[in-house]
Amino acid sequence: MNKTRLFFLFFFSLSLFVSCTIRVGDSSADRQTGSQTSAVENLEDEEEDHLSYIGAGDKINIQVYNEKELSGVYQVSPEGYIIFPFIGEIKVDGLNIFSLAMKISSKLKEGYLKEPNVTVSVEEFVSKRIFVLGQVKKAGSFPIRRRMSVIEAISLAGGFTNLADLSNVVVTRKGGDGMEKRFVVDIKSIVNGAKENFYLDAGDIVFVGERFF
């Protein structure tokens, strides 16, 4: 193999790796090599873990066994705190429900309860929302409380309009490095069972394009 061909292959592979637009649900995506496929799979695997973290505005249900005066729903302040009886101000922003339960239990052991049994659940993820725009009947932002598919999000927005292009749904996602990635999702292939559903992350923007006649 000559040097010119080696250079061409290296450049082609590099261009696939750095691409910021990924097509989901079409045959061209199937032919691309592992880097893009792995990126999509890794993002999906991380979504549920990311959604479990508490943020400003979220409503959390804290139950302390046999302690009704301590149990109830608390809303996280814009600064990321709640006021809890006996303990006072607790920083909860960035914690998940398990670490928060352990934190409260540990604080209550400091002279208040001998063996506190604390459970935490999320009533409403106000801090985590997705946005659905374009050719849907009720465009807007919607809370994401659990792993949500793109089809579920479009359903929350009232479904497609008559002008919607089901093969041109673009999901924009900002990564941890601040860079945006765009995924082109073919809803037809998902509905027909040819492709698996595409799952959203908090902050994702779903844009349904308009079809051209």
Side-chain angles (χ1 to χ4, degrees):
M1 187 180 291
N2 59 40
K3 292 183 178 180
T4 302
R5 189 174 182 185
L6 282 171
F7 176 79
F8 173 78
L9 289 174
F10 172 79
F11 179 81
F12 178 73
S13 300
L14 182 62
S15 67
L16 286 176
F17 180 77
V18 301
S19 175
C20 63
T21 302
I22 302 172
R23 294 197 63 85
V24 179
D26 68 353
S27 57
S28 63
D30 293 337
R31 293 193 295 268
Q32 292 180 358
T33 55
S35 60
Q36 290 187 353
T37 302
S38 297
V40 174
E41 290 174 349
N42 290 339
L43 283 167
E44 290 180 357
D45 290 340
E46 292 170 1
E47 284 170 1
E48 284 200 72
D49 182 62
H50 176 71
L51 290 175
S52 69
Y53 288 95
I54 298 166
D58 291 346
K59 294 180 180 179
I60 51 179
N61 190 326
I62 302 173
Q63 296 293 317
V64 183
Y65 183 69
N66 276 343
E67 299 291 340
K68 290 185 178 180
E69 69 276 11
L70 301 181
S71 302
V73 176
Y74 299 80
Q75 185 159 21
V76 184
S77 73
E79 294 76 28
Y81 291 86
I82 62 169
I83 304 295
F84 197 81
F86 299 153
I87 299 174
E89 213 173 46
I90 304 175
K91 178 77 169 179
V92 301
D93 183 35
L95 299 179
N96 60 34
I97 58 175
F98 304 107
S99 57
L100 177 55
M102 291 177 63
K103 186 173 184 177
I104 293 173
S105 179
S106 177
K107 294 281 187 182
L108 289 174
K109 284 181 181 179
E110 298 175 0
Y112 303 109
L113 297 174
K114 186 175 180 180
E115 291 294 335
N117 186 344
V118 181
T119 59
V120 178
S121 61
V122 177
E123 288 283 312
E124 185 178 358
F125 271 126
V126 177
S127 65
K128 296 170 179 62
R129 305 183 74 83
I130 50 95
F131 306 86
V132 186
L133 308 172
Q135 293 301 316
V136 290
K137 293 178 181 177
K138 297 178 182 178
S141 66
F142 305 91
I144 178 169
R145 298 181 59 177
R146 55 180 175 78
R147 200 173 187 219
M148 179 185 291
S149 72
V150 65
I151 291 178
E152 288 176 291
I154 291 169
S155 177
L156 286 176
F160 295 107
T161 68
N162 293 332
L163 298 176
D165 183 355
L166 274 65
S167 299
N168 187 28
V169 176
V170 179
V171 178
T172 302
R173 174 175 300 165
K174 184 172 289 188
D177 57 0
M179 299 294 291
E180 288 187 343
K181 291 184 175 68
R182 290 177 176 82
F183 304 87
V184 181
V185 183
D186 188 342
I187 300 296
K188 283 185 177 179
S189 294
I190 294 174
V191 172
N192 292 336
K195 294 293 178 182
E196 293 185 358
N197 218 329
F198 183 89
Y199 289 89
L200 301 174
D201 199 358
D204 281 357
I205 301 171
V206 180
F207 182 82
V208 180
E210 181 177 346
R211 60 188 170 91
F212 298 96
F213 298 93

